[in-house]
Amino acid sequence: MMIPPSCHGVLHDWPKKQTRPKPLHHLTAWSAHDTGVIISCALALLVIVVAISLAKLPPFLAILLGAIVFSATTGLDMAKAIASFQAGAGHLLGDSGLIIALGALLGGMVAGSGAADRLVTALLSPGGRPLSARALPWCVAVAAMLVGLPLFFEVGLVIMLPLVLGVARTARQPVLRIAIPALAGMTVLHALVPPHPGPLIAISALHASLGTTLLLGLAIAVPAVVLAGPVYGNFLSTRPEYRTISTAASANFSSPGNVRQERQPSLAAAAMTILLPVALMLARTASELCLPRNGMAAHILNTVGEPFMALLLSVFFAVIVLGWLSRQPRRETGRTLHDSLPPLAVLLLTIGAGGGLKQVLLSGGIAGTISKIAESSSLPLVVLAWLIAVCLRQATGSATVATSTTAGLMAPLLATMGLSSPQTSLVALSIGAGSVFFCHVNDAGFWMVHELFGLTLKQTLMVWSVLQTIVSLTGLALCSAIWVFLAS
C-alpha cells in the first residue's frame, strides 16, 4: 500500500528496532562523590518532609531549606547555590508561569459562568431523565474528565461534588460509589494530560512532542480512570464502614448554583469552551503529521496549537461566549477573571521552588549520578523516572513540583540517549504517574478530601491515597508496556 507523502512524518515518530536508547559509554565509574550526592539528596528530602509535615512551613520555604541543606552537605558554594536556585526558579516560571495563569483564567470563566455545572448536569441527567444506578459511576467519570480538562483539581472538585452528591441522594447510592469516579477522573488528567501544568512542564523540559504526549496520555488515562474510579469505587462502597459516608459529606457541601439559570451558557457553548484548548493542540499534531510543513494551513495550525496560544485563544473565546454572549455583565466577567489570579501566588511560588531545587541538585552533580544509575541498572528509563518522581512527591507533597524537578533532572540524561518522540513522551508520562503515588498527609488534596467528606484519617488513606496509587501504578504499567512494545 502506498503511503501519502504528506503523512511520511508519522513514520519518524514511531521507533524501529534500531532506535533503542544509546548506551552511555562515556560515564566514569561510581565514586565516593556519587554516594555523597545520594545521601545529601535523601537528607534534603527528609528536611523538606519534616519542615512541611511537622514544622508546618509553607512548601516554598521547606523546599528552599532543603536546597540549602543539599548545598551545605555536598560542599557546594552557597553563593553559587543561591544563584542556581534563582536561575532554576526563574527559568521554570518563565516557561510555564504564563501558561498556568491562562489556565487559571480559563478555569475561572468555566466555573464562574456555570458552564461546568451545565455540562455535568447534562451528562448525569441526559434529557432530564436520571441514569440507571449501574451507569452512574461511569458517567460521573466521563463528566469529571471533561470538566477537569481546563480546571485545576481543587476547582473541579468543588464544582463536581455538590452535583454528584445530589445525584447519589436521588439514586439512593453510597456517596463514595459516585464520588470516587469523580476524584479519579480529575486527578488522572492533572497527572497525565495537557494543558495541566505538570504535563506541560515535563513536555517543555524533556522537549517531548505535545501531540504525541497528549494522545498517549489520553490512551493511558482512560484505563487508569476505569480502575481507580468505577472499579475501585464499587469495591470500596461495598464495605460497611464506607457505605454510611453520606450525611457528614452532604453537610459539608453547599449548592454551587450561584449563577442564575437564565444566564447560564448553552450546553454547546460549555462543551466547546472546555474542549477548545485540547482540540487546538491536537490540530497542531495533525498538521505536523499530514500537512506540508511549509504550507499556510500547517503554519496557522502550528501557531494556534502551541500551548500558550491555544490557552490564550480559549480564554478570549470563554470571555466572549460564556461571558458577553451569555448576557453576563462585563464588570462581573472582569471580576471573575481578576479573582482567578490571586490564588495562583502560592502555586507559582511552590512550582518555582521546585525549579530552583532541581537546578541546585544539578549544580551538585546529581545528573551524572543518575546517569550512572541508569547505565548500571537494568531499569528502563520510564521506571527510573517514575521512581524519582515518587520520591520527590513523597517529600514535597506536590505533584507539579515532583514533575518539574524530575523532568529537569532527567533532561540531561535523555539528551544523550537518542530516544524517539514516543519514547520521550512515555518518560514524561511516567514522571506524571509517579507524581501522584500514595499522596498522604503532606498533600493538600488529602486534607481537602478528608474535610469535605468528614472522613477519618484511615478512611482518607483508603479513599484518596489508595486511589492515587492505583492511578500511579496503572500509568507505570502502561508506560512500561508501550515502552517494551516500541523497543521490540
Side-chain angles (χ1 to χ4, degrees):
M1 180 177 68
M2 294 295 292
I3 300 173
S6 60
C7 290
H8 283 171
V10 176
L11 301 181
H12 298 295
D13 279 344
W14 298 96
K16 309 300 181 183
K17 290 184 179 181
Q18 65 267 26
T19 60
R20 292 181 179 180
K22 300 175 183 177
L24 305 176
H25 298 299
H26 65 283
L27 294 178
T28 58
W30 188 269
S31 65
H33 174 264
D34 296 311
T35 303
V37 167
I38 294 297
I39 294 174
S40 297
C41 184
L43 180 60
L45 296 181
L46 178 61
V47 168
I48 294 172
V49 171
V50 172
I52 293 175
S53 301
L54 298 181
K56 306 302 181 183
L57 291 179
F60 168 76
L61 284 179
I63 294 170
L64 177 57
L65 181 60
I68 292 173
V69 169
F70 176 82
S71 304
T73 54
T74 55
L76 186 64
D77 180 71
M78 195 56 63
K80 180 181 179 181
I82 293 173
S84 295
F85 190 93
Q86 292 173 330
H91 179 73
L92 181 56
L93 291 178
D95 277 351
S96 305
L98 292 177
I99 292 176
I100 295 172
L102 289 172
L105 292 173
L106 178 61
M109 285 301 303
V110 169
S113 67
D117 297 348
R118 174 61 63 89
L119 185 61
V120 171
T121 302
L123 287 170
L124 298 184
S125 301
R129 294 170 297 179
L131 293 167
S132 67
R134 178 172 295 184
L136 273 176
W138 300 92
C139 291
V140 167
V142 172
M145 291 183 72
L146 289 175
V147 170
L149 278 173
L151 299 178
F152 289 123
F153 172 80
E154 293 82 1
V155 178
L157 179 61
V158 170
I159 290 173
M160 279 288 299
L161 288 188
L163 301 169
V164 169
L165 286 171
V167 172
R169 287 193 298 267
T170 301
R172 298 182 179 180
Q173 293 294 307
V175 167
L176 291 183
R177 184 171 184 265
I178 308 300
I180 284 178
L183 294 172
M186 288 181 288
T187 193
V188 168
L189 292 182
H190 181 72
L192 299 176
V193 180
H196 282 278
L200 283 178
I201 290 171
I203 289 168
S204 175
L206 301 178
H207 303 290
S209 166
L210 173 65
T212 303
T213 308
L214 178 56
L215 291 173
L216 288 173
L218 288 171
I220 293 171
V222 171
V225 170
V226 168
L227 292 176
V231 173
Y232 183 59
N234 285 335
F235 164 76
L236 194 63
S237 62
T238 60
R239 303 180 62 174
E241 63 268 36
Y242 295 95
R243 287 187 61 87
T244 56
I245 297 174
S246 59
T247 305
S250 301
N252 283 325
F253 288 102
S254 59
S255 173
N258 56 353
V259 180
R260 289 190 300 180
Q261 187 69 28
E262 65 269 17
R263 288 220 319 260
Q264 278 195 343
S266 66
L267 176 60
M272 287 175 62
T273 305
I274 289 172
L275 296 176
L276 181 60
V278 174
L280 291 175
M281 294 178 194
L282 287 176
R284 181 190 189 192
T285 301
S287 72
E288 290 174 350
L289 297 178
C290 293
L291 290 178
R293 295 185 178 180
N294 296 327
M296 179 62 71
H299 175 71
I300 293 174
L301 291 176
N302 187 61
T303 300
V304 301
E306 194 274 332
F308 177 86
M309 185 59 69
L311 283 169
L312 180 62
L313 292 174
S314 299
V315 168
F316 283 123
F317 183 87
V319 168
I320 295 170
V321 174
L322 302 184
W324 300 343
L325 296 183
S326 296
R327 293 179 293 175
Q328 185 181 77
R330 297 190 179 186
R331 186 182 299 275
E332 185 176 332
T333 300
R335 185 168 58 249
T336 298
L337 294 171
H338 181 273
D339 292 346
S340 302
L341 294 177
L344 283 183
V346 174
L347 175 63
L348 290 177
L349 280 174
T350 305
I351 292 173
L357 175 64
K358 174 265 300 181
Q359 196 61 43
V360 171
L361 294 176
L362 291 177
S363 298
I366 199 169
T369 302
I370 292 175
S371 297
K372 293 177 184 179
I373 294 174
E375 181 187 31
S376 60
S377 71
S378 58
L379 292 176
L381 285 178
V382 287
V383 178
L384 178 63
W386 181 85
L387 287 172
I388 296 172
V390 167
C391 292
L392 288 168
R393 175 58 194 259
Q394 300 308 300
T396 65
S398 169
T400 306
V401 170
T403 299
S404 61
T405 307
T406 305
L409 296 177
M410 293 295 295
L413 173 61
L414 265 61
T416 67
M417 300 292 286
L419 299 182
S420 67
S421 174
Q423 287 174 321
T424 306
S425 294
L426 287 173
V427 174
L429 293 171
S430 69
I431 292 172
S435 73
V436 295
F437 181 84
F438 197 76
C439 305
H440 53 89
V441 294
N442 65 352
D443 170 39
F446 179 93
W447 294 110
M448 191 172 184
V449 172
H450 175 274
E451 293 298 323
L452 290 177
F453 284 99
L455 303 176
T456 65
L457 191 62
K458 177 185 175 182
Q459 288 173 331
T460 310
L461 287 171
M462 289 297 296
V463 170
W464 182 242
S465 303
V466 174
L467 181 154
Q468 295 275 68
T469 302
I470 294 172
V471 171
S472 182
L473 293 176
T474 303
L476 172 64
L478 292 175
C479 284
S480 299
I482 299 173
W483 180 275
V484 171
F485 172 77
L486 295 177
S488 63

